[in-house]
Amino acid sequence: QSNVYTLQTSQAQGTDCTLRNNFKAAPSVSASHTFTGTTAGNGTRMPSVAAAGFSGVMQASPADGENGNNGTAEAFGTGAVTPTVDGALFFAAIVFDRAVSGITVDSPFTLIETVAFVAGQHQAIALAYYVQPTAANLQAVFRWTTTANVALRISVFKPAVAAGGIVPILIRQYRERRS
């Protein structure tokens, strides 16, 4: 399938830990849908691509805010975002520059994907989401057991209908080998 994604702001920690949330409203999809990650810069980066799909998101101008954070620790928050409407989808991601274990995300978020670090192949990454019934300031806080450099992003998307209309429809991981 051929889709052009909207690139949101990137977040970096050091030279090998960069994250960017991208989205496509009303994408073309099929059972053979693929994603490709590319590297930029010094060529030592190992891209990871993780994807999640949601139904019920507004198709025209769905983005409603974003934020990010980076650092070195065993727990980190994305930074807060306040949606402009009720029923918004919060989508958060974190990338790690090394192997970590015990990845969790604080309530009310749901962890939907984790991809383990594999040296020479791809970074560790995790995804989480939450559909917020009433618009309020919120951030995702991720936790893990090994100190690592991390970059985090959170994106908020408007619902197409009243609160509670957004549901996950696809959760799969994709890994891209560095060539």
Coordinates of all heavy atoms in Angstrom, one line a residue, residues 14-110:
G14 N 21.0 12.0 22.7 CA 22.2 11.5 22.2 C 22.1 11.3 20.7 O 21.2 11.9 20.0
T15 N 23.0 10.5 20.1 CA 23.1 10.4 18.7 C 22.4 9.2 18.1 O 22.1 9.1 17.0 CB 24.5 10.3 18.2 OG1 25.2 9.2 18.8 CG2 25.3 11.6 18.5
D16 N 22.1 8.2 19.0 CA 21.4 7.0 18.5 C 20.1 6.7 19.1 O 19.6 5.6 19.1 CB 22.4 5.8 18.8 CG 23.6 5.8 18.0 OD1 23.5 6.2 16.8 OD2 24.6 5.4 18.4
C17 N 19.4 7.7 19.6 CA 18.1 7.5 20.3 C 17.2 8.6 19.8 O 17.1 9.7 20.4 CB 18.3 7.5 21.8 SG 16.9 6.8 22.7
T18 N 16.5 8.4 18.7 CA 15.6 9.4 18.1 C 14.2 8.8 17.9 O 14.1 7.7 17.5 CB 16.1 10.0 16.8 OG1 17.4 10.6 17.1 CG2 15.2 11.1 16.3
L19 N 13.1 9.6 18.2 CA 11.8 9.1 18.0 C 10.9 10.1 17.3 O 11.0 11.3 17.6 CB 11.2 8.7 19.4 CG 9.7 8.3 19.4 CD1 9.6 6.9 18.8 CD2 9.2 8.2 20.8
R20 N 10.0 9.7 16.5 CA 9.1 10.6 15.8 C 7.8 9.8 15.7 O 7.8 8.7 15.1 CB 9.5 11.1 14.5 CG 8.5 12.0 13.8 CD 9.0 12.4 12.5 NE 10.2 13.3 12.7 CZ 10.8 13.9 11.8 NH1 10.5 13.8 10.5 NH2 11.9 14.7 12.0
N21 N 6.6 10.3 16.1 CA 5.3 9.8 15.9 C 4.9 10.3 14.5 O 5.0 11.5 14.3 CB 4.3 10.2 16.9 CG 4.6 9.5 18.3 OD1 5.3 8.5 18.3 ND2 3.9 9.9 19.3
N22 N 4.4 9.4 13.7 CA 3.8 9.8 12.4 C 2.4 9.3 12.3 O 2.1 8.3 13.0 CB 4.6 9.2 11.2 CG 6.1 9.6 11.4 OD1 6.5 10.7 11.6 ND2 7.0 8.6 11.2
F23 N 1.5 9.9 11.5 CA 0.2 9.4 11.4 C -0.4 9.6 10.0 O 0.1 10.4 9.3 CB -0.7 10.1 12.5 CG -1.0 11.5 12.2 CD1 -2.1 11.9 11.4 CD2 -0.2 12.5 12.7 CE1 -2.4 13.2 11.2 CE2 -0.5 13.9 12.4 CZ -1.6 14.2 11.7
K24 N -1.4 8.8 9.7 CA -2.1 8.9 8.5 C -3.6 8.7 8.8 O -4.0 7.7 9.3 CB -1.6 7.8 7.5 CG -2.5 7.7 6.2 CD -2.4 9.0 5.4 CE -3.2 8.8 4.1 NZ -3.5 10.0 3.5
A25 N -4.4 9.7 8.5 CA -5.9 9.6 8.7 C -6.4 8.9 7.4 O -5.9 9.2 6.3 CB -6.5 10.9 8.9
A26 N -7.3 8.0 7.6 CA -7.9 7.2 6.4 C -6.8 6.6 5.5 O -6.8 6.9 4.3 CB -8.8 8.2 5.7
P27 N -6.0 5.7 6.0 CA -4.9 5.1 5.2 C -5.5 4.0 4.3 O -6.6 3.5 4.5 CB -4.0 4.5 6.2 CG -4.9 4.2 7.3 CD -5.9 5.3 7.4
S28 N -4.8 3.7 3.2 CA -5.1 2.5 2.4 C -4.4 1.4 3.1 O -3.2 1.5 3.4 CB -4.5 2.7 1.0 OG -5.1 3.8 0.4
V29 N -5.1 0.3 3.4 CA -4.5 -0.8 4.1 C -4.9 -2.2 3.4 O -5.8 -2.2 2.6 CB -5.0 -0.9 5.5 CG1 -4.5 0.3 6.3 CG2 -6.5 -1.0 5.6
S30 N -4.1 -3.2 3.7 CA -4.4 -4.5 3.2 C -3.6 -5.5 4.0 O -2.8 -5.1 4.9 CB -4.0 -4.7 1.7 OG -2.6 -4.8 1.6
A31 N -3.9 -6.8 3.8 CA -3.2 -7.8 4.5 C -1.7 -7.8 4.3 O -0.9 -8.4 5.0 CB -3.8 -9.2 4.2
S32 N -1.3 -7.2 3.2 CA 0.2 -7.2 2.8 C 0.8 -5.8 3.1 O 1.9 -5.5 2.5 CB 0.3 -7.6 1.3 OG -0.3 -6.6 0.5
H33 N 0.2 -5.0 3.9 CA 0.7 -3.7 4.2 C 2.1 -3.8 4.9 O 2.3 -4.6 5.7 CB -0.3 -3.0 5.2 CG -0.1 -1.5 5.2 ND1 -0.9 -0.7 4.6 CD2 0.8 -0.8 5.8 CE1 -0.5 0.6 4.8 NE2 0.5 0.5 5.5
T34 N 3.0 -3.0 4.4 CA 4.4 -3.0 5.0 C 4.8 -1.6 5.4 O 4.2 -0.6 4.9 CB 5.4 -3.6 4.0 OG1 5.5 -2.7 2.9 CG2 5.1 -5.0 3.6
F35 N 5.7 -1.5 6.3 CA 6.3 -0.2 6.7 C 7.8 -0.3 6.6 O 8.4 -1.4 6.7 CB 6.0 0.1 8.2 CG 4.5 0.3 8.5 CD1 3.7 -0.8 8.7 CD2 4.0 1.6 8.4 CE1 2.4 -0.6 9.0 CE2 2.6 1.7 8.7 CZ 1.8 0.6 9.0
T36 N 8.5 0.8 6.3 CA 9.9 0.8 6.1 C 10.5 2.0 6.9 O 10.0 3.1 6.9 CB 10.3 1.0 4.6 OG1 9.7 0.0 3.8 CG2 11.8 1.0 4.5
G37 N 11.5 1.7 7.7 CA 12.2 2.7 8.4 C 13.6 3.0 7.8 O 14.2 2.1 7.3
T38 N 14.0 4.2 7.8 CA 15.3 4.6 7.2 C 16.1 5.4 8.2 O 15.5 6.0 9.2 CB 15.1 5.5 5.9 OG1 14.4 6.7 6.3 CG2 14.4 4.8 4.9
T39 N 17.4 5.4 8.1 CA 18.2 6.1 9.0 C 18.7 7.4 8.4 O 18.7 7.6 7.1 CB 19.5 5.3 9.4 OG1 20.2 5.0 8.2 CG2 19.1 4.0 10.0
A40 N 19.1 8.3 9.2 CA 19.7 9.6 8.7 C 20.9 9.8 9.6 O 21.1 9.3 10.7 CB 18.7 10.7 8.9
G41 N 21.8 10.7 9.1 CA 22.9 11.1 9.9 C 24.1 10.2 9.7 O 24.5 9.8 8.6
N42 N 24.7 9.7 10.8 CA 26.0 9.0 10.8 C 25.9 7.5 10.3 O 26.9 6.8 10.3 CB 26.7 9.1 12.1 CG 26.0 8.5 13.2 OD1 25.0 7.7 13.0 ND2 26.4 8.8 14.4
G43 N 24.7 7.0 10.1 CA 24.5 5.6 9.6 C 24.6 4.5 10.7 O 24.6 3.4 10.4
T44 N 24.8 4.9 12.0 CA 25.0 3.9 13.0 C 23.6 3.6 13.7 O 23.5 2.7 14.5 CB 26.0 4.3 14.1 OG1 25.5 5.5 14.7 CG2 27.3 4.5 13.5
R45 N 22.6 4.4 13.4 CA 21.3 4.2 14.0 C 20.7 2.9 13.4 O 20.9 2.5 12.3 CB 20.4 5.4 13.7 CG 20.9 6.6 14.4 CD 20.0 7.8 14.2 NE 20.5 8.9 15.0 CZ 20.6 10.1 14.4 NH1 20.3 10.3 13.2 NH2 21.1 11.1 15.2
M46 N 19.9 2.3 14.3 CA 19.2 1.1 13.9 C 17.7 1.3 14.0 O 17.2 1.4 15.2 CB 19.6 -0.1 14.8 CG 21.1 -0.3 14.8 SD 21.7 -1.4 16.2 CE 21.4 -0.3 17.6
P47 N 17.0 1.6 13.0 CA 15.6 2.0 13.1 C 14.7 0.8 13.6 O 14.9 -0.3 13.2 CB 15.2 2.4 11.7 CG 16.1 1.6 10.8 CD 17.4 1.5 11.6
S48 N 13.7 1.2 14.3 CA 12.6 0.3 14.7 C 11.3 1.0 14.2 O 11.2 2.2 14.4 CB 12.5 0.1 16.2 OG 13.5 -0.7 16.7
V49 N 10.4 0.3 13.7 CA 9.1 0.8 13.3 C 8.0 0.0 14.0 O 8.0 -1.2 13.9 CB 8.9 0.7 11.8 CG1 7.5 1.2 11.4 CG2 10.0 1.4 11.0
A50 N 7.2 0.7 14.7 CA 6.1 0.0 15.4 C 4.8 0.7 15.0 O 4.8 2.0 14.9 CB 6.2 0.0 16.9
A51 N 3.7 0.0 14.7 CA 2.5 0.6 14.2 C 1.3 0.2 15.0 O 1.3 -0.9 15.5 CB 2.4 0.2 12.7
A52 N 0.4 1.1 15.1 CA -0.9 0.8 15.7 C -2.0 1.5 14.9 O -1.8 2.6 14.4 CB -0.9 1.2 17.1
G53 N -3.1 0.9 14.7 CA -4.3 1.5 14.0 C -5.4 1.7 14.9 O -5.6 0.9 15.9
F54 N -6.2 2.8 14.7 CA -7.4 3.1 15.5 C -8.5 3.5 14.6 O -8.3 4.3 13.7 CB -7.0 4.2 16.5 CG -5.9 3.9 17.5 CD1 -4.6 4.1 17.2 CD2 -6.3 3.3 18.7 CE1 -3.6 3.7 18.1 CE2 -5.2 3.0 19.6 CZ -3.9 3.2 19.3
S55 N -9.7 3.0 14.9 CA -10.9 3.5 14.2 C -11.5 4.6 15.1 O -11.3 4.7 16.3 CB -11.9 2.4 14.0 OG -12.4 1.9 15.2
G56 N -12.3 5.5 14.4 CA -13.0 6.5 15.2 C -12.3 7.8 15.3 O -12.7 8.7 16.0
V57 N -11.1 7.9 14.7 CA -10.3 9.2 14.7 C -10.8 10.1 13.6 O -11.1 9.7 12.5 CB -8.8 8.9 14.6 CG1 -8.0 10.2 14.5 CG2 -8.3 8.0 15.7
M58 N -10.9 11.4 13.9 CA -11.3 12.4 12.9 C -10.4 12.3 11.7 O -9.2 12.1 11.8 CB -11.2 13.8 13.5 CG -11.7 14.9 12.6 SD -11.5 16.5 13.4 CE -13.0 16.4 14.4
Q59 N -11.0 12.3 10.5 CA -10.1 12.2 9.3 C -9.6 13.5 8.8 O -8.4 13.5 8.3 CB -11.0 11.5 8.2 CG -11.3 10.1 8.5 CD -11.9 9.3 7.3 OE1 -11.9 9.8 6.2 NE2 -12.5 8.2 7.6
A60 N -10.3 14.6 8.9 CA -9.7 15.9 8.5 C -9.1 16.6 9.7 O -9.8 16.8 10.7 CB -10.9 16.7 7.9
S61 N -7.8 16.9 9.6 CA -7.1 17.6 10.7 C -7.3 16.9 12.1 O -7.7 17.5 13.0 CB -7.5 19.0 10.8 OG -7.3 19.7 9.6
P62 N -6.8 15.6 12.2 CA -7.1 14.9 13.5 C -6.1 15.3 14.6 O -6.4 15.1 15.8 CB -6.8 13.5 13.1 CG -5.9 13.5 11.9 CD -6.2 14.8 11.2
A63 N -4.9 15.8 14.3 CA -3.9 16.1 15.3 C -4.4 17.2 16.2 O -4.9 18.2 15.7 CB -2.6 16.5 14.6
D64 N -4.2 17.0 17.5 CA -4.7 18.0 18.5 C -3.6 18.3 19.5 O -4.0 18.8 20.6 CB -6.0 17.4 19.2 CG -6.8 18.4 19.9 OD1 -6.7 19.6 19.6 OD2 -7.5 18.1 20.8
G65 N -2.4 18.1 19.2 CA -1.3 18.4 20.1 C -0.3 17.3 20.3 O -0.6 16.2 20.0
E66 N 0.9 17.7 20.7 CA 2.0 16.7 20.9 C 3.0 17.3 21.9 O 3.0 18.5 22.1 CB 2.7 16.3 19.6 CG 3.3 17.5 18.8 CD 4.1 17.1 17.6 OE1 4.8 16.1 17.6 OE2 4.0 17.8 16.6
N67 N 3.8 16.4 22.4 CA 4.9 16.8 23.3 C 5.9 15.8 23.4 O 5.7 14.7 22.8 CB 4.3 17.1 24.7 CG 5.1 18.0 25.6 OD1 6.3 18.3 25.2 ND2 4.6 18.5 26.7
G68 N 7.0 16.0 24.0 CA 8.1 15.0 24.1 C 9.1 15.3 25.2 O 9.1 16.4 25.8
N69 N 9.9 14.3 25.4 CA 10.9 14.4 26.5 C 12.0 13.5 26.2 O 11.9 12.6 25.3 CB 10.3 14.1 27.8 CG 10.9 14.8 29.0 OD1 12.0 15.4 28.9 ND2 10.2 14.7 30.1
N70 N 13.1 13.7 26.8 CA 14.3 12.7 26.6 C 15.2 12.8 27.9 O 15.1 13.8 28.6 CB 15.1 13.1 25.4 CG 15.5 14.5 25.3 OD1 14.8 15.4 25.0 ND2 16.8 14.7 25.7
G71 N 16.0 11.8 28.0 CA 16.9 11.8 29.1 C 17.5 10.4 29.4 O 17.4 9.5 28.5
T72 N 18.1 10.2 30.6 CA 18.7 8.9 31.0 C 18.1 8.6 32.3 O 18.3 9.4 33.3 CB 20.2 9.1 31.0 OG1 20.7 9.5 29.7 CG2 20.8 7.7 31.4
A73 N 17.4 7.5 32.4 CA 16.8 7.1 33.7 C 16.2 5.7 33.6 O 16.5 5.0 32.7 CB 15.7 8.1 34.1
E74 N 15.4 5.4 34.6 CA 14.6 4.1 34.6 C 13.1 4.4 34.6 O 12.3 3.5 34.8 CB 15.0 3.3 35.8 CG 16.4 2.8 35.7 CD 16.9 2.0 36.9 OE1 16.1 1.7 37.8 OE2 18.1 1.6 37.0
A75 N 12.7 5.7 34.5 CA 11.3 6.1 34.4 C 11.3 7.5 33.8 O 12.2 8.3 34.1 CB 10.6 6.1 35.7
F76 N 10.4 7.7 32.9 CA 10.3 9.0 32.3 C 8.9 9.3 31.8 O 8.2 8.4 31.3 CB 11.3 9.1 31.1 CG 12.3 10.3 31.2 CD1 13.5 10.1 31.7 CD2 11.9 11.5 30.8 CE1 14.4 11.1 31.8 CE2 12.8 12.6 30.9 CZ 14.1 12.4 31.4
G77 N 8.5 10.6 31.8 CA 7.2 11.0 31.3 C 7.4 11.7 30.0 O 8.5 12.2 29.7
T78 N 6.3 11.7 29.2 CA 6.4 12.2 27.8 C 6.3 13.8 27.8 O 6.6 14.4 26.9 CB 5.2 11.7 27.0 OG1 4.0 12.1 27.7 CG2 5.3 10.3 26.8
G79 N 5.9 14.3 28.9 CA 5.5 15.7 28.9 C 4.0 15.8 28.7 O 3.4 14.9 28.0
A80 N 3.3 16.7 29.2 CA 1.8 16.7 29.2 C 1.3 17.4 28.0 O 1.9 18.3 27.4 CB 1.3 17.4 30.5
V81 N 0.1 17.0 27.6 CA -0.7 17.6 26.5 C -2.1 17.8 26.9 O -2.7 16.9 27.6 CB -0.7 16.8 25.2 CG1 -1.4 17.5 24.1 CG2 0.8 16.5 24.8
T82 N -2.8 18.9 26.6 CA -4.2 19.0 26.9 C -5.0 19.1 25.5 O -4.8 19.9 24.7 CB -4.5 20.3 27.6 OG1 -3.7 20.4 28.8 CG2 -5.9 20.5 28.0
P83 N -5.9 18.1 25.3 CA -6.7 18.1 24.1 C -7.7 19.2 24.1 O -8.1 19.7 25.2 CB -7.4 16.7 24.1 CG -7.4 16.3 25.5 CD -6.2 17.0 26.2
T84 N -8.2 19.6 23.0 CA -9.2 20.6 22.9 C -10.7 20.1 22.9 O -11.6 20.8 23.0 CB -9.1 21.4 21.6 OG1 -9.2 20.6 20.5 CG2 -7.7 22.1 21.5
V85 N -10.8 18.8 22.8 CA -12.1 18.1 22.8 C -12.2 16.9 23.7 O -11.1 16.3 24.0 CB -12.6 17.7 21.4 CG1 -12.7 19.0 20.5 CG2 -11.6 16.7 20.8
D86 N -13.3 16.5 24.2 CA -13.5 15.3 24.9 C -13.4 14.1 24.0 O -13.6 14.2 22.8 CB -14.9 15.2 25.5 CG -15.1 16.2 26.6 OD1 -14.1 16.8 27.1 OD2 -16.3 16.5 27.0
G87 N -13.0 12.9 24.5 CA -12.9 11.7 23.7 C -11.7 11.5 22.9 O -11.6 10.7 22.0
A88 N -10.6 12.3 23.2 CA -9.4 12.3 22.4 C -8.6 11.0 22.6 O -8.6 10.5 23.7 CB -8.6 13.5 22.7
L89 N -7.8 10.7 21.6 CA -6.9 9.6 21.7 C -5.5 10.1 22.0 O -5.0 11.0 21.3 CB -6.8 8.8 20.3 CG -5.7 7.8 20.1 CD1 -5.8 6.6 21.0 CD2 -5.6 7.4 18.7
F90 N -4.9 9.6 23.1 CA -3.5 9.9 23.4 C -2.7 8.7 23.0 O -3.0 7.6 23.3 CB -3.4 10.0 24.9 CG -3.9 11.4 25.5 CD1 -5.2 11.6 25.6 CD2 -3.0 12.3 25.9 CE1 -5.7 12.8 26.1 CE2 -3.4 13.5 26.4 CZ -4.8 13.8 26.6
F91 N -1.7 8.9 22.2 CA -0.8 7.9 21.7 C 0.6 8.2 22.1 O 1.1 9.3 21.7 CB -0.9 7.8 20.1 CG -0.1 6.7 19.5 CD1 -0.4 5.4 19.6 CD2 1.1 7.1 18.9 CE1 0.4 4.4 19.0 CE2 2.0 6.1 18.4 CZ 1.6 4.8 18.4
A92 N 1.3 7.3 22.8 CA 2.6 7.6 23.3 C 3.6 6.5 22.9 O 3.2 5.4 22.8 CB 2.6 7.7 24.9
A93 N 4.8 6.9 22.7 CA 5.9 6.0 22.3 C 7.2 6.4 23.0 O 7.4 7.5 23.3 CB 6.1 6.0 20.8
I94 N 8.0 5.3 23.2 CA 9.3 5.5 23.8 C 10.3 4.6 23.1 O 10.0 3.5 22.7 CB 9.3 5.2 25.3 CG1 10.7 5.5 26.0 CG2 8.8 3.8 25.6 CD1 10.7 5.4 27.5
V95 N 11.5 5.2 22.8 CA 12.6 4.4 22.2 C 13.8 4.4 23.2 O 14.0 5.4 23.8 CB 13.0 4.9 20.8 CG1 13.6 6.3 20.9 CG2 13.9 3.9 20.1
F96 N 14.5 3.2 23.2 CA 15.6 3.0 24.1 C 16.8 2.7 23.3 O 16.8 2.1 22.3 CB 15.3 1.8 25.0 CG 14.1 1.8 25.8 CD1 12.9 1.4 25.2 CD2 14.1 2.3 27.1 CE1 11.7 1.4 26.0 CE2 12.9 2.3 27.8 CZ 11.7 1.9 27.3
D97 N 18.0 3.2 23.8 CA 19.3 3.0 23.1 C 20.0 1.7 23.4 O 21.0 1.4 23.0 CB 20.2 4.2 23.3 CG 20.8 4.2 24.7 OD1 20.2 3.6 25.6 OD2 21.8 4.9 24.9
R98 N 19.3 0.9 24.3 CA 19.9 -0.4 24.7 C 18.8 -1.4 25.1 O 17.7 -1.0 25.2 CB 20.9 -0.2 25.8 CG 20.3 0.3 27.1 CD 21.3 0.9 28.0 NE 22.0 2.0 27.3 CZ 22.7 2.9 27.9 NH1 23.0 2.8 29.2 NH2 23.3 3.9 27.2
A99 N 19.2 -2.6 25.4 CA 18.3 -3.6 25.9 C 17.8 -3.2 27.3 O 18.5 -2.8 28.2 CB 18.9 -4.9 26.0
V100 N 16.5 -3.2 27.5 CA 15.8 -3.0 28.8 C 14.8 -4.1 29.0 O 14.4 -4.8 28.1 CB 15.1 -1.6 28.8 CG1 16.1 -0.5 28.6 CG2 14.0 -1.5 27.7
S101 N 14.3 -4.2 30.3 CA 13.3 -5.1 30.6 C 12.3 -4.5 31.5 O 12.5 -3.4 32.0 CB 14.0 -6.4 31.2 OG 14.6 -6.0 32.4
G102 N 11.2 -5.2 31.7 CA 10.1 -4.8 32.6 C 9.5 -3.5 32.2 O 9.1 -2.7 33.1
I103 N 9.3 -3.3 30.9 CA 8.6 -2.0 30.4 C 7.2 -2.0 30.8 O 6.4 -2.9 30.6 CB 8.8 -1.8 28.9 CG1 10.2 -1.8 28.5 CG2 8.1 -0.6 28.5 CD1 10.4 -1.9 27.0
T104 N 6.8 -0.9 31.5 CA 5.4 -0.7 31.9 C 5.0 0.8 31.6 O 5.9 1.6 31.4 CB 5.1 -1.0 33.4 OG1 5.9 -0.1 34.2 CG2 5.4 -2.4 33.7
V105 N 3.7 1.1 31.6 CA 3.3 2.4 31.5 C 2.2 2.7 32.6 O 1.4 1.8 32.9 CB 2.7 2.8 30.1 CG1 1.4 2.0 29.8 CG2 2.5 4.2 29.9
D106 N 2.3 3.8 33.2 CA 1.3 4.1 34.3 C -0.1 4.2 33.8 O -0.3 4.7 32.7 CB 1.7 5.4 35.0 CG 3.0 5.3 35.9 OD1 3.6 4.2 35.9 OD2 3.4 6.3 36.5
S107 N -1.1 3.9 34.7 CA -2.5 4.0 34.4 C -2.8 5.5 34.2 O -2.1 6.4 34.8 CB -3.3 3.5 35.6 OG -4.6 3.6 35.3
P108 N -3.6 5.9 33.3 CA -4.7 5.1 32.6 C -4.2 4.6 31.3 O -5.1 4.0 30.6 CB -5.8 6.1 32.5 CG -5.1 7.4 32.2 CD -3.8 7.4 33.1
F109 N -3.0 4.7 30.9 CA -2.5 4.2 29.6 C -2.5 2.7 29.6 O -2.3 2.0 30.6 CB -1.1 4.8 29.3 CG -1.2 6.2 28.8 CD1 -1.2 7.3 29.8 CD2 -1.3 6.6 27.5 CE1 -1.3 8.6 29.4 CE2 -1.3 7.9 27.1 CZ -1.4 8.9 28.0
T110 N -2.6 2.1 28.3 CA -2.5 0.7 28.1 C -1.3 0.5 27.2 O -1.2 1.1 26.1 CB -3.8 0.2 27.4 OG1 -4.9 0.4 28.3 CG2 -3.6 -1.3 27.1

